[in-house]
Amino acid sequence: MLIAHDLGTTGNKASLHDEQGRLLRAVTVEYPAHFADGGIAEQDPDDWFNAVVDATSRLLSEAEVERASVRGMVISGQMMGAVLLDEACRPVRPAIIWADTRAGRQAALLNERLGELDAYRLHGHRINPTYSLAKVMWVRDNEPDTFAKVRHVCVAKDYVVQRLTGRLATDRSDASSTNAYDIGRGAWSAETLAAAELDPGLFPEIVESIEVVGSLTQDAASATGLPSATRVVMGGGDGPIAAVGAGVVAPEDGAYIAMGTSSWISFASSEPVLDPSMRTFTFEHVVPGLYVPTATMQAAGASVAWINEILSPDPSGASLRELVEQASTEDTETGGLFFLPYLLGERSPKWNTDARGAFVGIGRHHERQHMMRAVLEGVAFNLAECLDAYADNGYAFESIDAVGGGAASDAWLRIMADVWGVQVRRRSVVGEANSLGAAVVGLVGLGLADDFSPARELSRVVAAFEPDAARHERYRERLERFRGAYDALEPWMNEEVR
């Protein structure tokens, strides 16, 4: 058997799989994140490792399997963060995660030195404060005493792999999410690191996602209860890993949407896809030789979780499921209410860290079901703009497969199908799609599979939502109003947040 761990923003989703990749058991161990004014978003890296230890123990106990039967472990993790380590690979401060937007000045400096479009072509990504490189620069510029202790920089899954094996490395998918990676050469960018005035030696060696990094150290074996001979496969970033969990392991497999705290629409390609307007970006896939062009919004499930907390601040209030059901009846309309889902700034397609959420058009007649539906629609509208960016570059999709926790909602998938005018299909594995994708990476890495094709069978299409032509036409008009609301408020957002 093998165990896959997916280190998300809210917790570690861990799953136990047999030698064919079939899901046997799954558990989630939650951990906190610290969000504060000024764009702060941080986590304790040791919470990730402790969650891996706890989840491993729970999986083995609940599944009642022999620990010696677990031959390997593989890790998927949230991307674009910055874990800063000392000589002994211990964190010198809390990890700065993907949602943190403090490093605007550092990103602007890099754009000035590299040229915005040239940097996009070099990395496959815009220079942006949400990426690792600007975050590292921010610590150097604002916490010099802390930075003086830094000897290594990595991302979430790399830290856990190091704790498990004693070896610090990263894979190409996560390296391509740092703004420090030359996507054409497949290596750290000397030009970029010179512009950032950072030592290239801070960044770890780059290996393939399917490489066996090592076996468990004695300390890790003792903590997890697994044999020290248990091998650890490198794994990858949660975006490209989710593509595998959605069965997208080749260009012919089409597109998928991951519906988690953040949300993204992506597909597999044989080369990077560079949008002249820089609305989308490209990661390297965990499948060697492939890429995953991606459009990511910051707060998808995060917007739904937030409105649920606001409308149901105590356990006696309406549950999230009840709120979504109230918002999903066929005769429910928002009554002219729009929601801009920019609670954490925005990446695709706005690329504005100053963007903020807003209800627009709210009136005395609006009730909580209208607010919830406006949130569901607002996420769908923003993702519709991402699909427009793909279409402008020659990529249109007849259907989009959905994974992630949000994909369990019929109401939300139906709204997305109607807004986008394309078929939206639910896969059989949604909440554990990332850990399933990691498991397939583990199968290949451990030599239990020749290639990534088992992903197509381990997760299958189980439901399809066809767009309603009349509702799609109404949504096209509402999409223009949504765009207009953002355009009208953008100058105020940019001025107000400074």
Side-chain angles (χ1 to χ4, degrees), residues 249-308:
V249 296
E252 60 268 24
D253 291 323
Y256 78 99
I257 175 174
M259 300 170 63
T261 302
S262 63
S263 184
W264 59 88
I265 298 175
S266 184
F267 56 98
S269 67
S270 57
E271 60 186 10
V273 173
L274 301 180
D275 173 31
S277 299
M278 300 185 291
R279 292 165 292 180
T280 65
F281 51 90
T282 301
F283 294 123
E284 285 215 28
H285 208 322
V286 292
V287 180
L290 291 182
Y291 301 86
V292 274
T294 305
T296 296
M297 64 176 293
Q298 291 280 84
S303 292
V304 175
W306 169 78
I307 194 63
N308 180 55

Side-chain angles (χ1 to χ4, degrees), residues 317-366:
S319 69
L320 176 58
R321 182 182 297 274
E322 290 170 342
L323 287 168
V324 172
E325 287 177 354
Q326 291 170 8
S328 65
T329 57
E330 289 187 8
D331 60 350
T332 299
E333 296 286 350
T334 62
L337 182 61
F338 291 82
F339 177 71
L340 304 183
Y342 308 127
L343 303 181
L344 298 170
E346 191 53 286
R347 282 186 274 171
S348 299
K350 307 300 186 186
W351 292 98
N352 182 2
T353 55
D354 286 344
R356 289 295 178 268
F359 281 103
V360 181
I362 195 165
R364 181 62 182 83
H365 62 287
H366 285 118

